[in-house]
Amino acid sequence: MTEKPAESTLVIDLADEPTVALDAPQDAPRRRTGPLIAVLRAPIEARTWKELAYLVLSFVLGCVAVCYLFFGFGGGLYTSILLIGIPLLATVLLGGRVWGRIYRFLGSALLGTRVDSPPDFTRASGLFGFLKSAFTDRPSWRVVVFLIAQSVLGVAVGYVVLMVIAMVGFTALSPIPWALLDPVQVDDNGVEHHSLAQFGTFYIDTWPRALALSGIGVLLCFALPWLVRSVCWLHRMLIVSLLAATPRDRQLAELRASRRAAVDDATATLRRVERDLHDGTQARLVTIAMALGRAEERLAAGGDARDLIAEARANSKEALTELRELVRGIHPPALELGLGQALETLTARCAVPVDLRVQIPHRPSPAIEAIAYFSVAELLTNVVKHAHANQATVSVLPESRHRIAVTVRDNGIGGAPHPGTPTVTGSGLAGLAARALAVDGTLTVDSPVGGPTVVTMILPNEGPR
């Protein structure tokens, strides 16, 4: 089996701590432009005009936000002596979430800054529960701080930047109003000058002077995009710092998602057990009971019931076999001897030849062993059904001191989608990813068209912390 050098490969370092790394394909090198070309192109780039539009909208919205904060919190504090102001303050505070959505949308559309939204507001029951939830809602307070910062950056600084842009634009176009409007200025001696601007006693009253002033304005136009970008950089920092989900928010969302995945997995397992018991074992036990009942009637009538007893005995053996398979699906007995022994039994029964390598210094917890075992079982089933492979490799190696890497590799046709794509929602790979997420693990799939396919699951040794 040969592989193309550009394809992703599995790298296993066995020097000190074995690690698993997937080398992503190298991106094509970007064409670099010189600084002069960047300066000349800046005024006509879409990024410049989008950022300018953001500054204009930020100035307008900043003025509205200042009024919102002043009248909202001011009115709430003023009426709080009548107690009605307390719910008003809570409502104004929660209204900051709407402002956060607006600025996140503008940042994504005009600045290219896409950030994750903080978790939704969770309201406790009752009026006092609502007030407590509102006044302890961290994302709302962060938006309030953002709006206060916008009153400085969006309104004050934005006003200065917009005025500078307007003045530079007027200077670049000054020959047009100078020629059309015929402006006249009178000096201290009463002499009239056909001038649009003056600097002390120096008047712009001739075509060479007007064109020179316009040339200065045109040169400054090439510097304006960098002024706009520097101010928008500050806006991006504000959005990322105050409007994005914090690491604590993301961890909470991941914990909730992993809890849902664990509950769904347990529910699916319970339904499968119920279905197997109802459709298989229960039906056989009913057949055994009916056969024994007929045998009892036949014996009472003096007949020969050996065939019915033999039938009941055969059905009881099949029921025991089904029960063993059912128990094995819940927790394989082979795992009592360790993950390595269980995987040896599993790979020996696989229809595709499998090379197994297990090297873990410490035995993982039973929950992690069960997840690793069932994940390898499902991945090998996918290899047999879909990969058209004639060789597979299973390795369980320490990824770090507290984590292990379970890797399944085959030389099949490849093309397996990543579990995060919409087409894989609800599939086996998505289920494996959810199962890994439930214990703070990860699942990565590297499967270029033509193969090979490498699926790596990183799992903790002791389960989620």
Side-chain angles (χ1 to χ4, degrees):
M1 178 180 64
T2 60
E3 298 176 5
K4 299 179 181 179
E7 294 175 347
S8 302
T9 57
L10 178 69
V11 179
I12 302 176
D13 183 12
L14 298 177
D16 295 324
E17 286 191 349
T19 57
V20 176
L22 297 179
D23 297 330
Q26 296 293 330
D27 297 333
R30 296 182 179 180
R31 297 178 59 185
R32 293 186 178 181
T33 58
L36 179 61
I37 300 299
V39 171
L40 295 177
R41 290 177 54 184
I44 60 174
E45 286 182 342
R47 172 187 174 181
T48 301
W49 293 98
K50 287 183 178 181
E51 292 180 343
L52 179 59
Y54 181 86
L55 291 182
V56 174
L57 292 175
S58 178
F59 173 76
V60 175
L61 289 175
C63 295
V64 179
V66 170
C67 297
Y68 176 83
L69 293 176
F70 180 78
F71 291 104
F73 283 96
L77 291 174
Y78 181 76
T79 57
S80 61
I81 58 177
L82 302 177
L83 298 182
I84 192 175
I86 298 178
L88 178 61
L89 284 174
T91 305
V92 172
L93 181 61
L94 292 179
R97 284 180 168 266
V98 179
W99 286 98
R101 294 190 188 98
I102 295 174
Y103 276 99
R104 279 192 296 270
F105 171 76
L106 293 177
S108 175
L110 300 178
L111 299 183
T113 304
R114 297 175 178 84
V115 295
D116 296 331
S117 301
D120 295 334
F121 172 67
T122 303
R123 173 182 176 177
S125 59
L127 176 61
F128 291 101
F130 166 74
L131 295 177
K132 180 180 179 181
S133 302
F135 287 117
T136 57
D137 186 47
R138 295 166 57 92
S140 298
W141 285 107
R142 294 173 69 220
V143 174
V144 170
V145 176
F146 176 85
L147 294 180
I148 295 174
Q150 279 294 314
S151 65
V152 178
L153 182 61
V155 179
V157 178
Y159 175 80
V160 174
V161 172
L162 293 178
M163 287 299 99
V164 170
I165 294 174
M167 293 175 59
V168 170
F170 179 79
T171 302
L173 300 176
S174 59
I176 298 177
W178 178 77
L180 296 179
L181 302 180
D182 193 20
V184 175
Q185 296 188 20
V186 181
D187 58 15
D188 296 337
N189 298 324
V191 179
E192 295 184 348
H193 297 271
H194 175 52
S195 175
L196 187 65
Q198 72 175 95
F199 301 93
T201 59
F202 185 81
Y203 291 89
I204 310 299
D205 54 359
T206 62
W207 273 109
R209 294 181 178 181
L211 293 177
L213 180 65
S214 175
I216 295 174
V218 171
L219 291 177
L220 291 177
C221 286
F222 290 98
L224 286 180
W226 308 102
L227 173 63
V228 172
R229 292 181 183 182
S230 61
V231 177
C232 286
W233 180 83
L234 297 177
H235 281 279
R236 289 190 181 93
M237 293 300 100
L238 276 181
I239 293 175
V240 173
S241 302
L242 297 175
L243 299 186
T246 62
R248 178 176 177 270
D249 295 334
R250 287 190 290 268
Q251 184 180 16
L252 181 60
E254 291 176 357
L255 289 176
R256 289 175 177 173
S258 63
R259 183 179 63 182
R260 287 195 299 268
V263 171
D264 293 341
D265 185 65
T267 303
T269 302
L270 180 60
R271 289 178 179 175
R272 177 180 60 83
V273 171
E274 291 176 348
R275 184 179 61 252
D276 293 343
L277 287 174
H278 180 272
D279 297 341
T281 308
Q282 179 177 333
R284 292 196 179 277
L285 292 177
V286 170
T287 302
I288 294 172
M290 293 177 62
L292 292 176
R294 292 198 305 268
E296 185 180 7
E297 293 176 357
R298 187 176 297 181
L299 289 174
D304 187 5
R306 285 180 295 178
D307 56 338
L308 295 175
I309 296 175
E311 179 184 353
R313 182 180 181 183
N315 285 329
S316 65
K317 291 181 179 180
E318 294 179 0
L320 287 174
T321 303
E322 290 181 357
L323 284 174
R324 291 193 188 97
E325 293 295 332
L326 186 60
V327 172
R328 184 178 294 111
I330 299 174
H331 186 77
L335 280 178
E336 299 297 333
L337 301 177
L339 182 59
Q341 298 286 344
L343 291 179
E344 285 184 9
T345 304
L346 179 64
T347 55
R349 296 198 304 259
C350 184
V352 175
V354 180
D355 291 334
L356 175 65
R357 182 180 182 185
V358 179
Q359 184 181 349
I360 45 180
H362 305 288
R363 183 173 179 178
S365 65
I368 298 302
E369 286 186 336
I371 291 176
Y373 176 86
F374 287 117
S375 299
V376 172
E378 185 162 350
L379 291 172
L380 290 180
T381 301
N382 292 339
V383 171
V384 174
K385 289 184 177 180
H386 309 294
H388 301 285
N390 55 23
Q391 183 66 37
T393 303
V394 176
S395 62
V396 182
L397 302 172
E399 193 268 343
S400 65
R401 182 178 179 182
H402 300 289
R403 305 175 78 84
I404 62 173
V406 181
T407 305
V408 177
R409 178 189 180 101
D410 67 75
N411 63 348
I413 59 176
H418 192 273
T421 58
T423 56
V424 195
T425 302
S427 70
L429 289 177
L432 294 181
R435 186 177 294 178
L437 181 63
V439 292
D440 297 337
T442 60
L443 178 76
T444 57
V445 178
D446 181 44
S447 182
V449 177
T453 297
V454 180
V455 181
T456 303
M457 178 179 285
I458 306 298
L459 299 173
N461 283 330
E462 300 299 332
R465 297 185 178 181

